[in-house]
């Protein structure tokens, strides 16, 4: 059994796009000391690579939120497992997400964070699946727009596996339709 149908985005393409996003964010946030909010666990690799390429002062904090559990479909209910450790009022916040799928998680998270009065709030995502969207939410910075396929790697998982792959791969249906 082959676990993967194909490599969707190569390690080289990811590295190139992350550098481009970092340069754009560095220009947009010059002298603003943005706070990057890494959404655990899926975004940690993307966030680390993004921040290594940022050339303006920045801060980082973490949140762990989910609407998936152990399945492949969003439940639509936001579950906050770890909240921010800093007050974001008056700060320029950039939420870093691994993937925007239905948009349920991010829609609810964005509304929660906006209620905390940041100076600004932007979203940066590695992957965007626009055809799966059920909420009206879009990223301000997008790495790649992808088709409606179940992907893993570069931080994205299926049941906590595959996060350490250096690229983004399409997971074979036989793995998650058991």
């Amino acid at each position: 059994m082959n676990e993967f149908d194909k490599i969707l985005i190569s390690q080289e393409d990811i590295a190139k796009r992350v550098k481009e996003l970092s340069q754009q964010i560095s220009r947009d946030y010059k002298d603003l000391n943005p706070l990057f909010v890494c959404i655990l666990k899926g975004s940690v690799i993307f966030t680390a690579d993004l921040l290594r390429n940022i050339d303006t002062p920045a801060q980082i904090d973490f949140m762990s939120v989910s609407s998936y559990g152990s399945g492949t479909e969003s439940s639509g209910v936001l579950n906050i497992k770890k909240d921010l450790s800093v007050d974001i009022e008056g700060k320029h916040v950039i939420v870093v997400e691994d993937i925007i799928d239905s948009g349920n998680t991010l829609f609810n998270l964005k509304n929660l964070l906006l209620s905390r009065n940041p100076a600004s709030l932007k979203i940066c995502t590695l992957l965007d699946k626009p055809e799966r969207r059920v909420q009206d939410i879009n990223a301000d910075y997008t790495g790649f727009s992808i088709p409606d396929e179940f992907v893993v790697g570069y931080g994205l998982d299926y049941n906590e596996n595959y996060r350490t792959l250096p690229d983004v791969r399409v997971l074979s249906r036989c793995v998650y339709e058991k």
Side-chain angles (χ1 to χ4, degrees), residues 60-130:
I60 186 171
D61 201 353
F62 303 88
M63 286 188 84
S64 180
V65 299
S66 176
S67 65
Y68 281 86
S70 64
T72 62
E73 295 291 324
S74 173
S75 67
V77 177
L78 185 66
N79 178 16
I80 298 175
K81 298 174 183 175
K82 184 216 174 295
D83 208 339
L84 294 171
S85 57
V86 298
D87 182 3
I88 65 169
E89 186 169 350
K91 295 184 186 280
H92 296 280
V93 176
I94 302 170
V95 175
V96 183
E97 185 62 283
D98 54 359
I99 188 167
I100 304 175
D101 196 311
S102 68
N104 285 326
T105 303
L106 202 51
F107 180 82
N108 292 318
L109 178 60
K110 181 179 180 180
N111 288 333
L112 171 71
L113 293 177
L114 285 172
S115 75
R116 297 177 181 181
N117 302 312
S120 66
L121 184 104
K122 301 275 178 140
I123 297 167
C124 178
T125 188
L126 175 66
L127 303 174
D128 185 17
K129 273 194 210 176

Side-chain angles (χ1 to χ4, degrees), residues 17-36 46-60 94 96 124 141:
R17 185 66 184 129
V18 168
K19 267 193 178 148
E20 292 167 355
L21 289 170
S22 296
Q23 290 168 350
Q24 184 181 358
I25 292 169
S26 292
R27 284 190 303 272
D28 293 351
Y29 286 86
K30 184 175 173 28
D31 302 322
L32 292 179
N33 195 22
L35 171 67
F36 286 81
F46 177 43
T47 303
D49 286 349
L50 199 63
L51 286 172
R52 276 194 284 267
N53 287 283
I54 294 287
D55 64 9
T56 190
Q59 300 173 7
I60 186 171
I94 302 170
V96 183
C124 178
Y141 304 98

